[in-house]
Amino acid sequence: MFFSGDVNTPARSTSTVRCPRLTSPRALLALPSQGEWVGAARRFTTDLLRSWKVADEDRESAVLIVDELTVNAVQHGHADTTLVMALEDGVLLIAVSDTGACVPHRPPEGFDPDEHGRGTGIVRFLAQGMDVSLGEHSCRVDVALKLTAGEPGSRR
């Protein structure tokens, strides 16, 4: 228990509360849902996975997944986009969510509908699993990418 009694009353316990240790690598990036920030999400993913020693082949797949999901969040989402990644037992978990007030989005100039709408198909092809959760003011896509090029740290 982190506190006892009323939240406005200090706890009387003298015991130390220990937070659980996270044993797997995790990272979070929060960005505004604006097109110019998609590149930052790609660079963040590339640099992070390189530091986690994820093999090039898997890193490229992960960057493509992050790119597709953040582009979707920016084009169809709300005010804020959040990217969360975790590495657990040879699987890279990726979650992209958009939240906040609804933001009107217009297709960019020169928008060709035949060239869009394939992003989730690409993600489903690359990923071991994908789940989409829709809320009134949010959307979250969870993806599991099995690392096929060996365990992290085995190749660069």
Side-chain angles (χ1 to χ4, degrees), residues 16-130:
T16 303
V17 176
R18 296 185 189 269
C19 293
R21 285 189 62 118
L22 296 176
T23 57
S24 61
R26 300 172 190 274
L28 178 138
L29 177 66
L31 302 167
S33 285
Q34 298 168 354
E36 58 266 24
W37 291 101
V38 173
R42 284 192 305 267
R43 287 186 299 278
F44 175 80
T45 301
T46 299
D47 293 344
L48 177 70
L49 297 183
R50 187 173 287 129
S51 76
W52 287 353
K53 296 184 177 29
V54 170
D56 292 344
E57 177 182 326
D58 293 326
R59 191 169 56 241
E60 289 170 10
S61 294
V63 170
L64 181 55
I65 289 170
V66 166
D67 181 66
E68 295 295 339
L69 296 180
T70 54
V71 166
N72 283 351
V74 166
Q75 288 181 343
H76 308 292
H78 298 84
D80 302 306
T81 299
T82 304
L83 166 63
V84 177
M85 289 186 285
L87 190 56
E88 296 183 5
D89 299 323
V91 176
L92 179 64
L93 304 172
I94 302 169
V96 175
S97 58
D98 62 82
T99 58
C102 292
V103 177
H105 296 279
R106 284 186 243 155
E109 218 174 283
F111 177 82
D112 181 358
D114 290 335
E115 292 296 319
H116 297 277
R118 298 183 185 140
T120 55
I122 292 169
V123 172
R124 286 184 197 281
F125 176 78
L126 292 171
Q128 179 181 3
M130 179 175 148

